[in-house]
Amino acid sequence: MAEHKYLNAKNAAVVHNASKQRFEIDIGGQLSMLEYTFKNHRLFLTHTEVPPALESRGLMMELAHAALEYARQNELTVVAVCPFVQEYVNSHPEYQSFVITSVA
């Protein structure tokens, strides 16, 4: 998986840092991230983190959107482990066809 950049409406770049298994937004040296693991053609979205000073900017939504679009483009099944990603998917039905919230 190569590194990719996704631009959002606010012009903050979401970078897919495949070597560290996360999607990132760096604003002024403050790193927001959505971490994942990858196994058996499944993208496990495990943890979202945004520095307190940046919490009200919608960065978690941008990270979730970028990760889910990446999964859709690569025909991956997403396992939403992170509670924020679960909530995001619940309010965005366009992703529900390829996202599960638990593994049996």
Side-chain angles (χ1 to χ4, degrees):
M1 288 185 259
E3 183 175 295
H4 299 282
K5 288 187 180 183
Y6 303 86
L7 295 179
N8 65 32
K10 298 170 188 155
N11 295 322
V14 177
V15 176
H16 179 203
N17 187 336
S19 66
K20 293 188 177 180
Q21 293 192 312
R22 63 189 185 198
F23 292 85
E24 308 171 335
I25 300 173
D26 186 337
I27 297 178
Q30 295 187 74
L31 191 63
S32 301
M33 69 186 89
L34 171 52
E35 298 172 330
Y36 68 85
T37 58
F38 183 79
K39 184 176 180 181
N40 297 329
H41 210 64
R42 290 185 174 184
L43 189 67
F44 292 78
L45 301 178
T46 58
H47 177 71
T48 309
E49 188 173 321
V50 174
L54 301 175
E55 285 179 352
S56 64
R57 296 189 183 190
L59 299 177
M60 289 173 70
M61 290 187 293
E62 297 299 332
L63 290 163
H65 174 78
L68 292 165
E69 284 300 314
Y70 172 82
R72 183 195 325 245
Q73 292 167 7
N74 290 281
E75 299 179 355
L76 302 173
T77 298
V78 171
V79 180
V81 177
C82 172
F84 177 81
V85 175
Q86 291 174 2
E87 289 178 28
Y88 185 86
V89 170
N90 286 339
S91 63
H92 292 82
E94 65 270 25
Y95 296 120
Q96 293 174 2
S97 66
F98 61 92
V99 177
I100 55 178
T101 56
S102 64
V103 179

